[in-house]
Amino acid sequence: MDRVKKLLSPGTSKKLMTNGGNRIFGVPLEELVLRATTGCKVPFLVHRICDFIENKGFHHEGIFRINGNAKIVEKLKTSFDVHGDANLEDEDDIMAVAGLLKLFLRELPDSVVPQHMTRQFVSIQEAYKNDNKGCINQIKQTVSELPEENYNLLKYLLRFLVVIAHNEKTNKMSPMSLAIVFGPNLFRCDQGIGGLKDQGTINQIVFKFIVHYESIFAGVNEELPVVEWNKPEIYDVNVNQSNHDHEEWDHSEGSSSTPLGRPLSPRFSDDETAGRASPFVLDRAVERVIAMTITENLFGDEDKSIANSIEFTKDLTNGDEGLESTDAGSTDKDDTKRDTETKSDEDAEFGSIKRNSATLSSFKRASGPQNRRSPSRKHRNSSGDPDMDNEVEELLTDVSNKLKNNVKLPSDTTDNEKNPSENLHPEDKVPIHHPVPKPRVAFLELTNNTGDINHRTSPDDTSPNRSPNNNRKPFIPPLDLTTLHEHVDSQDPILAHKGQSVSYQRAKTKINGEDGDDLQVILSPRTNKLTKRKHE
Amino acid sequence: METRKRAFLKVIILGDSGVGKTSLMNQYVNRRFSNEYKATIGADFLTRDVTVDNKLVTLQIWDTAGQERFASLGVAFYRGADCCVLVYDVTAPNTMDSLDAWRNEFLEQADPLHHDEFPFVVIGNKTDIQAKSEKNSVTQSWCSGKGNVSYFETSAKNGSRVEEAFQTVAQKALEQDTELTKEAYPSPIQLPQDNNKSHEGCSC
């Protein structure tokens, strides 16, 4: 897209040259912070854009995901570079403004999280993938080592994203979606295939940044992001009232509190990593019920503003994972029940697109072929998989064992399995309703789950995961897109990354009624074609 | 050389973020639509077998991320493509304006043999929200100006015309593949039949 933008306005670079002193894009962060007005810890542009979006409202569907108009983005960029500001209000394209913020981050000479630290975060995510609490602690530690300007900007942006995610109901941007979109802008991974794999891991980190904002970034006396951002709009009058109610609620409900007196919300699990509906949404529904109940019990027929206050204050706690959570009692039970209901519904709704074998299995199979191929399947097969039973429960055990033993899984889904104390949806363990969900993140987070599709749906021996090449290529690297076009059967030397080759397995479907004859790898001459063409 | 039993065709789906690339692929391959709203990272692919001209071919459909950051990854994904699907959102006119950029991006990165003849299929998606694209005529003329480009308006949500569009994709991809195969494997080199002669000449 950058190239596109340059094409669209060829004169931009010249203008920039003559106004080098005021440039904003591509200028080191320290310099921009120095230039910012006193008291402002982040570059003016960031502040300006976040304010603008806040004023416009957080409800725009797909904010930060949808591309803005490239011409407008370029125009705004030029305006910032030349005049130091731009008339964002005139453009009436909030997506372009959001895109401008992303562009700004990408064009920083070094990323918000400096490039040399990317590796550190990747290692943390990989090392602590089964220990959510430890992971958060490590992330917090590492984040605190960031240069001051970078830390401030990161924190500022994350506060903003927490609020965006809080409005998921209207803008559809769940914490995971935001993480996917912002991951590449906050961190800088290597170009190419290895970097792409890291990107998946990094996105998990960004997801944790958003979901565990309070644990990672929030200071002791810091107002929670949602209070701060929403205050001007909703809570000019009712702030005191709301604080009061908050306390009332806290005691009366007897829910556990942190030492700071904040109630913990135990329902914020890592389910989102699994592409499930955001816990925010669930929390809201649950909290509404609680709030209504409390209002009735405590305040009788008091007016609705109080109820809203309660609801609001309770909302503030959503971001808390409940690391020390031992929230028990009647509320919890109610919540659980509600969660189950809501989730079942949402699972039914979302289940269709998740490439999640277990989920898919609980639905009627579509008439279309379900022959997703992925190199990861090879990986799984080669690890000596015993015949799988169709029982989902066994599948789950199997998966979790594998995760423990030998499969790199950058996603967090195992957390729910391993840390019962943090698994705040006990019903998740009932696999019929909530099989271990897997994120749909393609090659970047290669897991062994894709293979499950076939275990589930084609238990017979001719199932496509029994590739004839399994024996020949016992090891398949988890991610190597460069070789995806090669064919194992080809006699031609594979130029790039010798010895690493991914074979496509001919997936077959019962629907088409193909027999074993079709199971052989289909040759494509393209590799040869390309090679030949070059030599011609 | 014709050891393969079936044509294996690679198709790339490109377009702005949120236009429905993933949904289209899912509708076509799995006949499902999900309301889940989630950006794609990098790329992903699904396959489906389809019959074209009485020939069974396997379509490998690559769904790519529309996010700006991933545009530069193209070369790894685009290589060896037989057809490219450009998707825009009929309810968001500016996504149509990006088609040119995506097309150029593809041609530059994939660098197919004949840029002007490479098959593209343009899909205006989300007709369930808005029955007809505002940009219908603009798109039509854009397509006719680019040579080998077909145009469809589909809905990944209700499945309208998705099948039709991808049938055309398969058709074009097969044509492209056949064409390339011809060019890549010209008639075999004839070795001179003079073995006997040289043998005779030996005076050892």
Side-chain angles (χ1 to χ4, degrees):
Chain A
M1 278 317 271
D2 289 350
R3 195 180 314 122
V4 174
K5 280 166 200 154
K6 272 175 201 153
L7 285 175
L8 288 170
S9 61
T12 315
S13 52
K14 273 184 195 166
K15 280 180 221 158
L16 296 185
M17 297 292 274
T18 55
N19 289 280
N22 291 326
R23 274 183 62 175
I24 288 178
F25 285 78
V27 173
L29 186 57
E30 308 88 70
E31 198 184 321
L32 291 172
V33 174
L34 277 179
R35 259 194 249 161
T37 48
T38 40
C40 193
K41 291 174 177 175
V42 297
F44 169 74
L45 173 137
V46 177
H47 196 63
R48 174 91 169 84
I49 290 179
C50 290
D51 273 359
F52 173 80
I53 294 175
E54 191 193 346
N55 287 333
K56 280 270 182 182
F58 298 110
H59 59 273
H60 296 270
E61 181 179 316
I63 185 154
F64 287 114
R65 178 184 171 186
I66 307 284
N67 307 116
N69 184 320
K71 284 176 198 164
I72 295 179
V73 175
E74 184 61 33
K75 189 174 142 194
L76 293 174
K77 179 189 167 186
T78 311
S79 176
F80 267 106
D81 268 336
V82 175
H83 308 293
D85 198 353
N87 207 344
L88 304 178
E89 288 75 10
D90 279 3
E91 292 302 340
D92 197 34
D93 183 352
I94 191 165
M95 298 308 171
V97 176
L100 188 69
L101 178 61
K102 291 196 293 178
L103 182 67
F104 167 77
L105 296 174
R106 280 199 307 280
E107 293 205 351
L108 283 173
D110 198 357
S111 40
V112 179
V113 176
Q115 204 160 358
H116 68 268
M117 291 179 78
T118 304
R119 208 57 244 166
Q120 258 173 286
F121 281 98
V122 171
S123 317
I124 291 174
Q125 174 68 21
E126 282 168 358
Y128 288 87
K129 57 174 174 271
N130 296 329
D131 175 10
N132 201 30
K133 195 174 173 182
C135 189
I136 305 290
N137 286 337
Q138 282 297 314
I139 292 176
K140 185 174 183 176
Q141 173 65 31
T142 315
V143 160
S144 67
E145 291 164 14
L146 287 171
E148 196 186 340
E149 300 86 9
N150 298 58
Y151 179 84
N152 288 335
L153 178 56
L154 185 65
K155 183 172 171 179
Y156 186 93
L157 290 169
L158 261 304
R159 272 183 91 81
F160 190 67
L161 294 185
V162 168
V163 184
I164 303 260
H166 238 281
N167 290 272
E168 189 197 336
K169 242 183 187 171
T170 47
N171 65 30
K172 291 194 178 181
M173 293 303 285
S174 66
M176 194 61 222
S177 282
L178 284 168
I180 292 171
V181 169
F182 263 87
N185 301 315
L186 296 176
F187 287 80
R188 225 159 275 178
C189 296
D190 297 337
Q191 292 282 334
I193 304 308
L196 196 54
K197 181 174 173 266
D198 285 348
Q199 192 67 66
T201 314
I202 284 300
N203 291 344
Q204 295 293 334
I205 294 274
V206 177
F207 171 76
K208 289 203 165 90
F209 280 173
I210 298 173
V211 172
H212 304 291
Y213 174 85
E214 287 171 56
S215 312
I216 297 173
F217 293 99
V220 180
N221 292 319
E222 185 176 317
E223 227 176 337
L224 301 179
V226 184
V227 186
E228 188 178 279
W229 290 100
N230 282 348
K231 212 192 281 177
E233 286 175 35
I234 314 170
Y235 272 93
D236 277 338
V237 192
N238 265 348
V239 172
N240 292 333
Q241 179 70 52
S242 113
N243 285 338
H244 175 69
D245 290 336
H246 182 190
E247 278 179 33
E248 288 282 322
W249 178 86
D250 208 349
H251 294 302
S252 61
E253 241 358 71
S255 76
S256 73
S257 302
T258 63
L260 297 175
R262 276 190 287 106
L264 286 165
S265 165
R267 287 161 300 282
F268 208 101
S269 77
D270 275 338
D271 281 349
E272 183 50 32
T273 45
R276 184 166 284 178
S278 163
F280 284 126
V281 179
L282 302 176
D283 279 5
R284 290 255 179 74
V286 172
E287 255 117 54
R288 194 152 299 130
V289 173
I290 297 170
M292 276 163 56
T293 317
I294 299 161
T295 320
E296 269 180 43
N297 292 340
L298 291 181
F299 308 108
D301 288 326
E302 287 213 39
D303 64 4
K304 278 205 168 169
S305 69
I306 295 178
N308 289 338
S309 306
I310 296 169
E311 208 178 313
F312 175 70
T313 48
K314 186 68 172 72
D315 268 357
L316 307 185
T317 66
N318 279 353
D320 213 313
E321 159 72 14
L323 291 173
E324 311 138 58
S325 80
T326 46
D327 197 344
S330 59
T331 18
D332 205 18
K333 274 181 201 158
D334 279 347
D335 295 346
T336 312
K337 223 187 276 169
R338 287 286 303 202
D339 275 359
T340 318
E341 285 167 27
T342 326
K343 284 207 166 162
S344 300
D345 290 343
E346 298 196 356
D347 271 4
E349 190 185 350
F350 294 146
S352 53
I353 200 169
K354 262 184 254 161
R355 287 108 196 259
N356 167 352
S357 56
T359 306
L360 290 176
S361 72
S362 55
F363 293 90
K364 209 175 143 190
R365 279 203 63 193
S367 45
Q370 205 171 34
N371 46 353
R372 180 178 188 201
R373 307 174 184 199
S374 161
S376 62
R377 185 178 301 157
K378 267 309 269 302
H379 190 128
R380 185 191 172 95
N381 290 335
S382 60
S383 64
D385 203 21
D387 277 343
M388 292 289 291
D389 198 276
N390 268 350
E391 290 297 316
V392 188
E393 219 150 341
E394 281 197 34
L395 175 72
L396 281 175
T397 325
D398 184 62
V399 168
S400 69
N401 283 342
K402 277 192 196 312
L403 296 179
K404 268 181 220 158
N405 296 336
N406 57 356
V407 182
K408 276 184 143 193
L409 181 69
S411 94
D412 276 342
T413 45
T414 49
D415 288 357
N416 288 341
E417 297 276 311
K418 307 267 173 52
N419 300 333
S421 66
E422 289 181 23
N423 180 0
L424 302 152
H425 300 279
E427 70 277 8
D428 278 357
K429 285 179 188 154
V430 183
I432 309 297
H433 303 299
H434 299 290
V436 172
K438 302 290 183 203
R440 175 228 179 283
V441 279
F443 291 103
L444 301 171
E445 298 183 24
L446 282 181
T447 65
N448 59 349
N449 61 310
T450 42
D452 294 347
I453 291 174
N454 292 313
H455 285 297
R456 302 278 317 128
T457 56
S458 314
D460 55 322
D461 278 346
T462 53
S463 80
N465 54 355
R466 316 220 167 216
S467 161
N469 300 302
N470 277 1
N471 297 334
R472 221 185 300 171
K473 305 274 172 191
F475 169 72
I476 297 301
L479 180 84
D480 191 353
L481 293 169
T482 56
T483 59
L484 280 179
H485 313 283
E486 317 292 343
H487 289 276
V488 172
D489 283 353
S490 167
Q491 295 305 307
D492 290 13
I494 292 165
L495 297 178
H497 305 284
K498 278 185 187 167
Q500 295 188 342
S501 173
V502 177
S503 78
Y504 286 136
Q505 300 142 38
R506 269 286 298 112
K508 93 179 188 72
T509 61
K510 288 178 185 171
I511 281 93
N512 289 342
E514 296 155 6
D515 52 29
D517 183 44
D518 280 321
L519 275 175
Q520 74 181 81
V521 170
I522 298 299
L523 272 180
S524 161
R526 256 178 302 284
T527 314
N528 304 344
K529 271 185 258 169
L530 284 170
T531 326
K532 288 203 173 183
R533 221 178 294 151
K534 271 177 193 159
H535 292 314
E536 269 166 19
Chain B
M1 284 310 283
E2 291 295 316
T3 51
R4 67 213 168 98
K5 289 212 162 180
R6 179 186 299 182
F8 190 83
L9 307 171
K10 181 172 171 181
V11 175
I12 310 281
I13 307 182
L14 297 177
D16 274 357
S17 189
V19 295
K21 297 180 290 298
T22 307
S23 297
L24 269 174
M25 181 176 78
N26 260 290
Q27 177 60 252
Y28 180 63
V29 176
N30 296 323
R31 300 196 179 113
R32 287 201 185 97
F33 178 79
S34 160
N35 282 315
E36 190 182 28
Y37 193 80
K38 198 166 181 185
T40 307
I41 315 174
D44 187 13
F45 70 93
L46 292 177
T47 61
R48 181 176 154 177
D49 295 337
V50 62
T51 311
V52 187
D53 298 342
N54 296 322
K55 256 177 107 176
L56 199 56
V57 299
T58 301
L59 275 192
Q60 182 190 55
I61 304 166
W62 282 74
D63 169 35
T64 59
Q67 284 295 312
E68 304 93 329
R69 161 63 178 77
F70 292 112
S72 60
L73 290 169
V75 70
F77 301 126
Y78 303 168
R79 199 175 65 168
D82 294 305
C83 182
C84 177
V85 182
L86 302 171
V87 186
Y88 79 98
D89 177 352
V90 295
T91 65
N94 65 317
T95 58
M96 195 267 137
D97 301 333
S98 309
L99 291 186
D100 238 336
W102 283 112
R103 182 175 176 273
N104 292 336
E105 168 83 16
F106 176 82
L107 289 176
E108 196 174 312
Q109 303 254 15
D111 199 21
L113 211 49
H114 306 292
H115 280 210
D116 293 338
E117 291 162 27
F118 190 85
F120 285 91
V121 171
V122 171
I123 292 183
N125 194 30
K126 306 196 187 179
T127 52
D128 52 288
I129 302 174
Q130 190 176 312
K132 205 167 168 68
S133 169
E134 285 172 29
K135 293 255 184 171
N136 186 296
S137 56
V138 184
T139 318
Q140 295 280 12
S141 61
W142 185 87
C143 290
S144 55
K146 298 292 178 190
N148 192 3
V149 181
S150 306
Y151 177 52
F152 291 90
E153 286 183 5
T154 68
S155 162
K157 190 167 188 175
N158 60 30
S160 148
R161 296 201 80 196
V162 172
E163 198 70 30
E164 213 177 324
F166 276 95
Q167 189 65 33
T168 306
V169 169
Q171 175 94 38
K172 283 180 174 249
L174 183 64
E175 283 164 19
Q176 171 76 2
D177 186 61
T178 319
E179 185 104 336
L180 276 188
T181 313
K182 264 188 230 155
E183 290 187 33
Y185 305 117
S187 52
I189 299 163
Q190 299 294 324
L191 290 172
Q193 302 286 325
D194 55 354
N195 288 356
N196 292 338
K197 237 183 186 177
S198 60
H199 207 75
E200 270 176 338
C202 181
S203 55
C204 297

